[in-house]
């Protein structure tokens, strides 16, 4: 235990909850379910101040795709810090940013035949969403933007307007205008083609919905319950957008950066969105960083029209450039495929084993949802998993979906152990 | 030159602007004025990839109050990184966060007899503003919020509605409702009492302005042209708020964390705002971090009502806790006073020397503005300073104010050299 | 020709269009299609200043259900005017208003077992809509209101937000918030149950649409193309509203007052809306008058919360009370049934005769639409009818529907002549 | 007593309030203060169903400038009705409308060297306001409109947004965006130049208020407390508008049509607004009618962009054309001047007599306000006046202003009697 951690521990009073309970706002939430005080972490293992270890199937809500404190990235960060590399740069040119931009083009965009300008926004996903929505409105001269049922795009007013969760919307305290809500694939049931509803509602004369500047969509809705749009639906949406001069914004904040098995979540559909928002795992180390990818011909920003203090978080650029190396690494890709299969197979087996308990299993790559009958059962499964040393979250509008987001880099043993622990919690629930 | 920097430099093509010009969005702005590619930095000195040095009077727009790569903070960061301390934690309890919260109470709040709950928001100032505005609306059940002329609060829709700059507002592409604009102190000229206008417009029956949930105010408007509200005005505003059940939100993002000579910019007025927003220099190292301070009885948030992925940036917590040590350091305080005086004296002298050029000098502590006749002159002064190795920005609605924001920790020699360089640029301008 | 008309005619310059062209705003529209200068009228016959007569299938867009200058009503008006009965009374009690209220209860509400309070609003349909929407928001404490595709509710901002026609919406020049658009019956095609889409989009958790205060619906969409909702759909909508605590507002401005064959257009569905808006033919003589019917337990208005100068148009009350006598008159009801059948049979025959031309025939009672292939054809039919002395309008989002709205009191010969003239115009179109 | 009135009276039950109390919405307001059931009226005298007479200083809130049932106008109406002149015409050309347009040009616009196009809107003042605001936004491409403290413009959402009264605003239940509120002359006290505040807040860079499409202003605020803008202030406002390309909309609905002593209320300032809204007394007989006057070069409406069913109320056109004859009648003008002086002198005398009671006397022409200490006193004066046979209303944001609006045509004896009755009520109040 190094000095810093020692100091931290020494500061902990007899009632470890006091500091947080007394001094942190009541808005905190994850810590209510997973109340340990965490001290250190490595890849998929978190350790609290008492030395207890936890397997992490939460991964910073998808921000730690390469695991906690990834050693390859860590070395680059230490190196950069020691050398007094620029840390904070607003939007000045820095060598760290240059390295990242060039690596992103070489490793990600080039091989996928994609051509985007990069906008570094304030380092939250919400800020990238706000920027993309502004640009779409500016480019088209329209105000309306279509967002989907069960969408989650962030908490600032513009992003919140596009988000579906009613409690979070109500917290705005004001109307959330200039957004039209449309059903995501499957939301209206299997017998209704939501794309056809969408096209009718948007483009049939008399529909009464103003032609939108853009669609904003997650190709996999994570917070919304792990809803996976089919490639056909995504292609249909892209074609609909194209036919009517509507821009397509893909919010790839949680599903991007490899979470679904490919770098971008939409690769499986073969589409090229007009704007793509990235954040969460883009830095590879959990450091705040956000990006908007912009089709060059849409990059009509005036200098400084959307700015932000922390858009030059160079530690994040350093980490991000390192993290991209994984996408040139065959072994990483192979392991990713194997881990994905390991989860998929286990969940399929569980669904067969406990058909009364498990209403549906949804997912791909390393993002999976297990739909249970109700919120209390789901919360109980999460709580029991935690008691056994596994951190796994719930999601969905009814909080009845267990969401699995292990690091992409998790080792097979830890994955097995985590799944086994989750299996035990499900088994208990199945017996009730 | 360490490996990482070496790699970065080696990647630079013949035309150093290519990467940024070709691949980064046209929205970038600071880099257009200060086009060097920066590589390393220490306290007030930036060095570019060619080894050229620059004195930094910009300080990350106020995010680097303790200088670039502050060595005391750096050691704590290296230590923490090496020990695999938790990097990213959402809002989970971590020892790093605990250390920060306790230090903030012990060093900042306690000695000032302030009692606030801390809300860690998404790590941008705009996100802290959005959270504070939401909470004010929730607590009061009202929608209207009063913001001021020349205010700057951020780029997401809620924060942008409160911001005054017309070009940035226009970029929203939609109406920015639920905000009423009022004149800041002095905006209506010296003969009009803006507080009295404010009180009449808000509280006289028939005013037609809906009673606001809150005032949101910067005690020193930085982006708006370095406008310093008087203690009397701030007290009057606080009293007005109190009389009418309106909350007072102080946006201390740029002026806080010591910039004005005291930790909070409002200490000189002896007021206790209901909500305080901090960001920029709170982490002390330029790392993204934001805070809302909430009077405990107003902390009516439901769990998760306002959340965000990067609200647990533990590197920032580690750095922030270290940075607070300065506020127990008598020598730091003394030096800060001396540097402030050094600037104030120099600027007063300049104003006497070039009365035709310098319309006004405004500021306190380590934030100062020099108002020049027009934007081209001001831009020219900034450009000439840059040519001589000084980075100094312009601000104000008419871009005719030179804004000085050197690190609080700048050594007197560098400050002298920087001021001398600025003096030369002003002298040239005065001759035209 | 009496004195007044004589004077009017004498004033007409050589170019009869001069006055209007030169001095009236370009916003005028009907007069561009039917450019005669009309002077007198009786029941279904309009006569212009040259003595040319026209059969009126437009009836003041449904405001003249009892014909032009209905003699029974006219006598009451003359009597009242001569006796210096109160003309304008704001919302003071007057004997004329008392007479109307009592007659409305006795003749309309009582026999239908309906119990409503009457709110007299500013005498435009739009104002009744604005009042109903305000009250629904006030009663429920919610802001969102659901309106339908192809809806038309009026031109003031609140009513316009609920209206679907894109050109009219665009004329607002501002966003039209706090409305959610949903598909009317049939809008998504016959295979999609729009009620089920509606229920899913409004009430499934995660839908992202804020629970509405109200549905606002026309049971027959007149401007929208004569779309007739089925009784089942209306009942389903009412039940859905009731299940979720959503108020049901029926806009019966154009379809009410007997136009569909019963006094209220929703009688055929057996529903009892929470709020009903009436205007157009309620005064029976084309005089401006509007009403909101309010379920008594929802009448939570504070005095004066929604007012208006002309809400006491006593001439209209006098006329309206007279007009209600028709609803106690068996002969009127029988004739109405016969005229309705006369139209229905003719249109059915035409549809068989010209299947290439007539895409659909829709309607009931005395409101019918004939859907043609496109706007130019439709406009041509209307123009040719006019040339032959018949005034008949077009409607629908694509302006490809001929809308028949003859007076309910039209005599069978005039109806025959009008239909024959329309038949000739259709026959010409069918030949092209 | 003619048949119709007889029938009305015969219908009155033992408790005369029953019908209204039981069947009319709680929103009714004037009738709560003046609860008689009125039956007939002539010029300034109202008579209730019991034969009791009242002098009318309310005049339909300014809609009966030519008195109740003006005999000259009545004859034209009877003549027109008897001859089956067109009653309701949408926006078709009619001889009645033609007569009105030509008379309005000949009698009103021509002699004043004004050149306006006429838009007939839905026949409420609010609808004229909505149309003017839409057109201003359309013509300028801007969304913001400046309205003033104590303004009243109507109850539909667009007009309500521009209105100041807080209770009425709150009834909207939604935000009222796209309006900026500014202080009317004198609102900030006599020592503050509200025009200068206005210009600073709108046009100084950094003001943070989006450049407005228009100012909307009443030259005399009637509902707001009889606040009379000075000619200088009005000219200053017009010049400010002109300098910055902002349109000037004068809402002359209550103050126009002669109420201030000239046809338009702004004639005394010598300004030519871009848009003028007229309603209330324009028809001369209390019949619903509204007009927007549009500078010809601003008449950029597309056909039908703003429409409305009752914009062709031909009885109103007939009455309105007759009423204009007064403006060619020297005797009428002379009498108007004498009646104005009679009021002014009396009020000046009262103010001297009861300086403790009367805080201010404001007005011109035939619109006057007497400011009393508080709402209860004011209400008591109104109630006592009513008990003595005088109908006189209260106004102002604090309901502490007695508003005098007698017909312009009131005979001197009735005016004397009314003033004497009001004097008695004030005298009683002064003794308390």
């Amino acid at each position: 235990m190094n000095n810093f951690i020692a100091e931290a521990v020494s500061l902990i009073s007899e009632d470890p909850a006091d500091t947080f309970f007394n001094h942190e706002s009541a808005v905190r939430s994850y810590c209510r379910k997973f109340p340990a005080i965490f001290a250190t972490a490595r890849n998929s293992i978190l350790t609290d101040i008492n030395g207890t270890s936890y397997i992490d199937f939460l991964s910073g809500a998808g921000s730690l795709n390469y695991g906690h404190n990834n050693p390859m990235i860590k070395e680059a960060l230490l190196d950069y810090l020691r050398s007094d590399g620029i840390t904070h740069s607003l939007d000045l040119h820095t060598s760290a940013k240059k390295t990242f931009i060039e690596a992103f083009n070489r490793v990600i965009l080039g091989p996928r035949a994609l051509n985007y300008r990069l906008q570094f926004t304030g380092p939250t996903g919400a800020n990238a969403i706000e920027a993309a929505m502004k640009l779409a409105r500016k480019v088209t001269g329209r105000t309306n933007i279509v967002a989907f049922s069960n969408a989650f795009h962030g908490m600032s007013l513009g992003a919140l307007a596009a988000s579906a969760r009613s409690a979070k919307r109500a917290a705005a305290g004001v109307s959330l205008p200039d957004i039209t809500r449309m059903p995501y694939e499957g939301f209206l049931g299997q017998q209704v083609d939501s794309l056809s509803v969408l096209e009718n509602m948007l483009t049939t004369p008399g529909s009464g919905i103003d032609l939108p500047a853009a669609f904003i969509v997650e190709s996999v809705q994570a917070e919304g319950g792990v809803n996976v749009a089919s490639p056909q639906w995504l292609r249909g949406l892209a074609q609909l957008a194209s036919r009517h001069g509507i821009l397509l914004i893909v919010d790839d904040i949680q599903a991007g950066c490899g979470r679904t098995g490919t770098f971008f979540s939409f690769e499986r559909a073969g589409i090229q969105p007009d704007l793509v928002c990235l954040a969460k795992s883009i830095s590879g180390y959990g450091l705040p960083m956000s990006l908007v990818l912009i089709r060059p011909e849409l990059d009509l920003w005036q200098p400084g029209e959307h700015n932000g203090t922390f858009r030059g978080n160079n530690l994040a650029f350093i980490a991000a450039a390192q993290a991209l190396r994984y996408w040139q690494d065959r072994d990483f890709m192979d392991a990713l495929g194997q881990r994905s299969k390991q989860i998929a197979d286990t969940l399929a087996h569980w669904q067969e084993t406990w058909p009364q308990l498990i209403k549906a299993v949804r997912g791909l790559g390393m993002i999976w949802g297990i739909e249970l009958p109700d919120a209390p059962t789901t919360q109980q499964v999460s709580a029991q998993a935690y008691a056994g040393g596994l951190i796994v979250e719930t999601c969905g509008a009814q909080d009845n979906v267990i969401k699995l987001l292990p690091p992409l880099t998790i080792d097979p043993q830890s994955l097995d152990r985590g799944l086994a622990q989750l299996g035990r919690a499900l088994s208990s629930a199945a017996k009730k």
Side-chain angles (χ1 to χ4, degrees), chain A:
Chain A
M1 194 159 66
N2 78 336
N3 284 351
F4 193 85
I5 302 295
E7 179 184 7
V9 171
S10 73
L11 287 164
I12 293 168
S13 58
E14 277 142 26
D15 179 353
D18 270 355
T19 291
F20 301 106
F21 180 79
N22 290 320
H23 297 298
E24 196 176 350
S25 162
V27 79
R28 66 201 186 284
S29 56
Y30 286 108
C31 58
R32 296 170 187 268
K33 296 178 176 176
F34 313 117
I37 302 180
F38 297 98
T40 61
R42 189 92 187 213
N43 202 356
S44 65
I45 307 298
L46 282 156
T47 305
D48 73 11
I49 54 171
N50 301 313
T52 308
S53 287
Y54 301 81
I55 298 174
D56 188 1
F57 275 19
L58 173 54
S59 299
S63 300
L64 294 161
N65 284 358
Y66 310 98
H68 288 270
N69 297 322
N70 183 295
M72 176 179 74
I73 302 174
K74 180 164 82 170
E75 284 315 306
L77 285 172
L78 287 168
D79 204 12
Y80 189 79
L81 268 172
R82 275 189 297 252
S83 70
D84 283 332
I86 297 280
T87 300
H88 176 286
S89 64
L90 298 167
D91 69 355
L92 295 173
H93 299 152
T94 64
S95 40
K97 187 197 270 188
K98 189 168 194 299
T99 304
F100 170 74
I101 294 174
E102 291 173 354
F104 193 77
N105 272 277
R106 191 175 63 242
V107 177
I108 302 297
L109 297 183
R112 288 164 182 79
L114 295 169
N115 185 14
Y116 288 116
R117 293 273 187 86
L118 278 64
Q119 178 181 5
F120 297 88
T121 64
T124 62
N127 204 282
I129 296 294
E130 295 260 352
M133 289 169 70
K134 272 190 202 174
L135 185 58
R137 285 169 171 146
K138 179 183 169 76
V139 166
T140 61
R142 303 176 203 141
T143 57
N144 187 23
I145 288 181
V146 165
F148 291 90
S149 56
N150 277 310
F152 182 84
H153 298 294
M155 290 287 104
S156 50
L157 277 196
L160 183 56
S163 297
R165 196 78 172 250
S166 58
K168 295 196 195 296
R169 293 173 60 80
V174 292
S175 283
L176 296 167
D178 300 313
I179 291 287
T180 296
R181 187 77 45 191
M182 284 286 150
Y184 197 73
E185 189 181 19
F187 186 80
L188 299 175
Q190 295 313 316
Q191 70 285 13
V192 179
D193 175 0
S194 75
L195 265 191
S196 147
V197 168
L198 184 62
E199 181 153 19
N200 268 314
M201 286 305 291
L202 293 181
T203 66
T204 303
S207 80
I209 295 179
D210 302 322
L211 187 68
F215 297 142
I216 183 162
V217 70
E218 301 151 284
S219 87
V220 178
Q221 295 184 320
E223 297 302 309
V226 189
N227 307 311
V228 183
S230 69
Q232 300 89 304
W233 191 83
L234 291 169
R235 275 194 294 276
L237 187 69
Q239 288 158 4
L240 176 55
S242 169
R243 268 201 303 284
H244 297 285
I246 300 164
L247 301 183
L248 179 62
I249 305 172
V250 170
D251 174 345
D252 227 12
I253 293 170
Q254 188 157 169
C257 300
R259 178 52 62 186
T260 65
T262 51
F263 185 81
F264 293 114
S265 73
F266 52 81
E267 293 179 38
R268 63 198 167 93
I271 60 172
Q272 300 202 355
D274 297 293
L275 297 161
V276 180
C277 297
L278 293 174
K280 291 199 186 271
S281 276
I282 184 66
S283 83
Y285 207 76
L287 302 175
M289 175 177 168
S290 296
L291 267 187
V292 182
L293 308 182
I294 304 171
R295 272 206 301 124
E297 58 271 40
L298 302 177
D299 183 28
L300 304 183
W301 285 119
Q302 291 296 310
E305 272 193 325
H306 184 93
N307 59 20
T309 294
F310 292 122
R311 66 200 187 280
N313 184 11
N314 285 259
L315 289 184
F317 300 158
I318 292 297
Q322 286 297 309
L324 293 180
R325 299 190 169 197
Y326 278 109
W327 298 97
Q328 297 176 305
D329 176 352
R330 205 58 247 166
D331 291 346
F332 166 77
M333 309 286 240
D334 289 348
L336 176 53
Q338 289 158 21
R339 294 303 88 72
S340 300
K341 187 168 186 316
Q342 195 176 345
I343 304 176
D345 290 350
T346 305
L347 268 55
H349 174 66
W350 288 347
Q351 192 173 19
E352 277 177 38
T353 309
W354 302 303
Q356 302 302 321
L357 179 70
I358 299 182
K359 300 296 166 195
V361 160
R362 295 187 292 267
L364 82 171
M366 296 293 273
I367 177 168
W368 288 87
I370 304 172
E371 184 178 329
L372 302 184
D374 51 47
T377 303
T378 312
Q379 192 45 48
Q380 171 56 28
V381 168
S382 170
Q384 190 176 339
Y386 177 67
L390 174 69
I391 295 176
V392 67
E393 241 304 44
T394 64
C395 68
Q398 302 185 77
D399 260 325
N400 67 334
V401 178
I402 294 284
K403 183 169 71 166
L404 286 75
L405 289 176
L408 310 185
T409 54
I410 192 169
D411 60 281
Q413 296 73 25
S414 297
L415 182 55
D416 256 345
R417 280 173 43 223
L419 288 170
Q421 179 55 28
L422 180 57
R424 279 188 290 277
L426 289 165
S427 173
S428 293
K431 286 180 187 136
K432 286 181 187 165

